[in-house]
Amino acid sequence: MKNIVKSMLLLSLIILVFVVLYLYKNPKIAVLCYHNIATQDEKNNFPDESDWTITTDNFKEQLDYLKNNNYKTLTMDEFYRWKNKELNLPYKSVLITFDDGFLSNYEYAFKLLKEYNMNATVFVVGSFIENSTQNTWDGNIKTYMTKDILNNIELEYPNIEIYSHSYNLHYQGAINQDENILENDINNFNDFYKKTDIFCYPFGKYNEKIKNVLKDNNFKLAFKYGPNKNDYKKAGRSDNNFEIPRLNVSHGMSIFKFGLRLLLYN
């Protein structure tokens, strides 16, 4: 019996050594993808937005988990340098991202992230921001930040970075258009905000055409979102710089599942 126990312990130790070596040689970083955030009451008022909206309590619980488990939240520059093997990072590192530019991000998420001293990136749709006129929060989770808010974020929330989710390509089939339309959209975003070299594909969809347009315009990274279940995984250094995977943080996700997602989704 003692020999069996010793053999099992030895086998477990060998497996652990191989796991540690694998993680050391093949580091991965979880790029977390969020969209909207609201109180439970606000979320209940917009059931059609439920799948894309997590509650403020749920988000705070996740930030508590990251803080209590000593996770480092990355800037985009840190992620990029890590991706290019210019920077080594702790195993417990994450890149927090938000898509679209909802006003709720400004009302709730940014304040919490600043309170926790955590970094995050927001991929905004330029036309959504430019057409928005509502600077104050009234509980409508379908509203977007305004240009005035966007211009003040750098001073008010230096831990928040803004990059492109396109200027006006956030509709199905947009990426299938001619290259000149895709390139004009890049120029329109640069005119609207400022020149950027990081992109997030609308609806997470991409093809060789839009990848080539981004490369021709000196973009460094482009992030996707799915579309298949197996595509939701951690990002590795071997991933194509224009096909960076992300992990969806779904609404109502238990903190146990959140922790497993950070730990296991390779």
Side-chain angles (χ1 to χ4, degrees):
M1 184 66 180
K2 288 183 178 179
N3 289 335
I4 293 175
V5 172
K6 287 180 180 179
S7 297
M8 291 180 65
L9 288 173
L10 180 60
L11 180 61
S12 299
L13 181 61
I14 292 172
I15 292 173
L16 179 61
V17 170
F18 273 102
V19 169
V20 170
L21 285 174
Y22 174 80
L23 293 175
Y24 178 77
K25 292 183 178 180
N26 301 277
K28 300 286 181 73
I29 285 178
V31 183
L32 304 179
C33 178
Y34 296 89
H35 284 80
N36 221 331
I37 180 171
T39 66
Q40 186 63 59
D41 288 342
E42 290 165 346
K43 182 177 176 179
N44 291 342
N45 291 331
F46 297 89
D48 55 325
E49 295 292 317
S50 179
D51 288 349
W52 309 103
T53 306
I54 70 165
T55 65
T56 51
D57 289 342
N58 198 186
F59 186 60
K60 189 176 186 301
E61 184 181 32
Q62 291 168 4
L63 296 187
D64 279 330
Y65 181 90
L66 295 176
K67 178 182 178 180
N68 293 336
N69 287 277
N70 301 310
Y71 274 86
K72 176 181 175 61
T73 58
L74 304 178
T75 65
M76 187 60 71
D77 180 66
E78 287 174 326
F79 178 81
Y80 176 72
R81 288 191 290 133
W82 169 83
K83 181 73 174 58
N84 284 351
K85 300 181 180 179
E86 299 170 2
L87 177 68
N88 290 321
L89 291 168
Y91 171 71
K92 289 184 174 181
S93 297
V94 297
L95 179 65
I96 298 174
T97 68
F98 287 84
D99 284 6
D100 301 334
F102 288 104
L103 183 58
S104 67
N105 298 172
Y106 178 76
E107 177 66 19
Y108 295 121
F110 297 176
K111 294 174 183 177
L112 285 169
L113 288 162
K114 187 174 183 178
E115 177 185 332
Y116 281 78
N117 195 29
M118 292 183 178
N119 301 302
T121 287
V122 183
F123 296 110
V124 302
V125 180
S127 61
F128 291 178
I129 303 298
E130 201 151 48
N131 292 327
S132 180
T133 58
Q134 186 171 325
N135 282 312
T136 56
W137 180 248
D138 64 1
N140 183 351
I141 65 176
K142 291 186 176 182
T143 53
Y144 296 89
M145 292 183 286
T146 63
K147 184 70 180 299
D148 287 340
I149 289 175
L150 202 66
N151 288 338
N152 288 326
I153 283 176
E154 191 171 348
L155 289 176
E156 189 174 3
Y157 295 105
N159 57 315
I160 304 298
E161 297 178 86
I162 304 296
Y163 292 103
S164 177
H165 200 21
S166 83
Y167 178 75
N168 193 29
L169 296 179
H170 204 272
Y171 55 90
Q172 295 291 348
I175 63 170
N176 298 320
Q177 300 176 96
D178 292 340
E179 286 90 341
N180 66 309
I181 294 178
L182 301 177
E183 187 154 353
N184 285 340
D185 188 84
I186 291 173
N187 294 330
N188 288 338
F189 188 92
N190 293 341
D191 291 340
F192 148 75
Y193 185 56
K194 59 183 177 182
K195 187 174 178 61
T196 178
D197 51 11
I198 308 293
F199 191 76
C200 176
Y201 298 112
F203 300 102
K205 296 180 179 179
Y206 60 95
N207 53 29
E208 290 303 312
K209 185 191 300 182
I210 192 167
K211 284 168 59 177
N212 289 333
V213 170
L214 292 173
K215 292 175 186 177
D216 290 343
N217 283 272
N218 300 313
F219 276 74
K220 299 190 297 189
L221 297 172
F223 292 79
K224 60 182 186 175
Y225 182 73
N228 302 311
K229 187 175 182 180
N230 291 338
D231 293 322
Y232 295 108
K233 59 183 181 180
K234 290 182 180 179
R237 283 171 165 163
S238 62
D239 288 319
N240 188 311
N241 276 8
F242 292 84
E243 297 178 19
I244 304 295
R246 294 188 289 170
L247 291 173
N248 175 41
V249 184
S250 54
H251 71 102
M253 180 183 290
S254 70
I255 201 64
F256 176 75
K257 186 176 180 180
F258 180 77
L260 280 181
R261 188 156 292 192
L262 291 174
L263 182 66
L264 298 177
Y265 270 61
N266 288 317

